[in-house]
């Protein structure tokens, strides 16, 4: 196979249209130089980044009318980066990151497809300690907790990239690790709350997961 097959779709958020080029399906694979393999990404896991998952849709719909203001926002494990593209369309200060070597290519392609400026991106893993991302006021992500080991890695990554006053929003499809993550972030000073999407008519099936929201306020001086 020389090139993966792709598909084009438009996802509507009220009067905002986000145009997406994604992989055609979860069977696509293209790693001729073994770059993904060297990063530990198997052929089975390779296409996961390149399709739109229900949790990604829930996050984007949740964040669409969110009062972000001038906050600096980071999307972690962005995949197709639907939320980043939507926030970029709304002129939010958004940065995206993912471990997959092809994520940036699709992100740039889709930013141009939507007629918007390129979104700052850095390829990095949660265990890496040499990125140049800096710190953020709002951190977002969807379907991140695949394994128990991800809880510690994710919480450490959030610790390194969150401002003293910060909010974290993660959509989890119900993988059974939300309370463990909440306990980890509690150690970092975050209060947690879980909620269901107000509306999920845009999904083909019932969403059984939660929107996880974590808030840390600046400690008052004594």
């Amino acid at each position: 196979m020389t090139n993966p097959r792709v598909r084009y779709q438009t996802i509507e958020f009220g009067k905002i249209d986000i145009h997406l080029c994604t992989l055609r399906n979860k069977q696509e694979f293209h790693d001729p130089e073994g770059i993904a393999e060297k990063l530990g990404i198997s052929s089975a896991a390779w296409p996961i980044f390149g399709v739109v998952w229900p949790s990604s849709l829930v996050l984007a719909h949740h964040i669409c009318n969110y009062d972000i203001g001038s906050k600096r926002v980071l999307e972690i494990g962005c995949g197709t980066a639907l939320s980043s593209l939507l926030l970029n369309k709304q002129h939010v200060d958004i940065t995206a990151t993912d471990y997959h070597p092809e994520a940036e290519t699709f992100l740039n392609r889709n930013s141009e497809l939507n007629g918007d400026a390129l979104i700052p991106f850095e390829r990095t893993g949660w265990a890496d300690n040499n990125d140049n991302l800096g710190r953020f006021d709002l951190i977002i992500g969807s379907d991140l907790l695949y394994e128990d080991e991800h809880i510690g890695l994710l919480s450490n990554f959030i610790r390194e990239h969150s401002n003293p006053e910060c909010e974290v929003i993660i959509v989890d499809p119900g993988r059974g690790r939300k309370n463990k993550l909440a306990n980890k972030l509690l150690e970092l000073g975050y209060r947690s709350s879980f909620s269901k999407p107000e509306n999920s008519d845009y999904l083909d099936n019932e969403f059984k997961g939660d929107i996880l929201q974590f808030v840390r306020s600046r400690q008052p001086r004594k």
Side-chain angles (χ1 to χ4, degrees):
M1 173 178 160
T2 56
N3 288 297
R5 296 182 68 184
V6 299
R7 61 173 295 203
Y8 290 87
Q9 59 186 302
T10 297
I11 301 177
E12 299 179 4
F13 299 90
K15 296 183 179 180
I16 300 176
D17 292 337
I18 297 298
H19 309 297
L20 278 180
C21 172
T22 67
L23 294 178
R24 183 172 179 267
N25 53 46
K26 297 189 288 290
Q27 280 68 53
E28 299 301 317
F29 174 70
H30 183 64
D31 189 29
E33 298 179 7
I35 296 174
E37 183 181 8
K38 292 176 183 176
L39 293 172
I41 300 173
S42 67
S43 59
W46 189 92
I48 289 176
F49 87 98
V51 295
V52 179
W53 296 92
S55 294
S56 175
L57 286 166
V58 171
L59 177 62
H61 280 272
H62 180 74
I63 211 75
C64 179
N65 297 313
Y66 211 75
D67 184 13
I68 294 176
S70 60
K71 291 180 180 178
R72 187 175 187 229
V73 185
L74 173 67
E75 183 176 10
I76 52 181
C78 68
T80 57
L82 178 59
S83 290
S84 289
L85 293 164
L86 175 60
L87 294 178
N88 194 40
K89 177 69 71 177
Q90 296 171 315
H91 307 292
V92 170
D93 182 358
I94 176 69
T95 298
T97 183
D98 198 285
Y99 191 58
H100 199 286
E102 292 297 324
E104 184 176 15
T105 299
F106 277 79
L107 178 64
N108 290 344
R109 185 174 187 172
N110 284 320
S111 295
E112 293 175 346
L113 189 63
N114 285 278
D116 298 319
L118 296 184
I119 296 172
F121 175 90
E122 186 162 347
R123 194 204 67 78
T124 187
W126 300 341
D128 296 343
N129 56 11
N130 58 349
D131 64 65
N132 298 300
L133 291 168
R135 296 182 181 272
F136 296 82
D137 309 300
L138 172 61
I139 298 173
I140 62 175
S142 61
D143 201 358
L144 303 176
L145 302 173
Y146 281 85
E147 307 288 346
D148 282 343
E149 65 180 291
H150 293 162
I151 297 165
L153 292 172
L154 178 58
S155 60
N156 287 338
F157 191 83
I158 290 172
R159 180 192 63 199
E160 293 300 316
H161 296 95
S162 56
N163 280 320
E165 189 169 318
C166 186
E167 185 175 0
V168 180
I169 299 174
I170 296 174
V171 174
D172 183 74
R175 298 190 182 277
R177 298 180 177 88
K178 63 183 181 183
N179 290 324
K180 293 180 180 179
L181 179 63
N183 289 335
K184 276 290 186 181
L185 292 184
L186 179 63
E187 298 173 5
L188 301 179
Y190 283 92
R191 304 187 315 276
S192 63
S193 62
F194 307 151
S195 63
K196 299 292 183 181
E198 292 184 2
N199 173 44
S200 58
D201 293 344
Y202 48 84
L203 298 178
D204 294 332
N205 300 300
E206 178 187 1
F207 185 74
K208 298 181 179 180
D210 295 277
I211 299 170
L212 318 182
Q213 187 167 348
F214 306 94
V215 178
R216 183 173 68 184
S217 302
R218 189 183 298 273
Q219 295 296 321
R221 294 183 179 180
K222 297 183 178 179

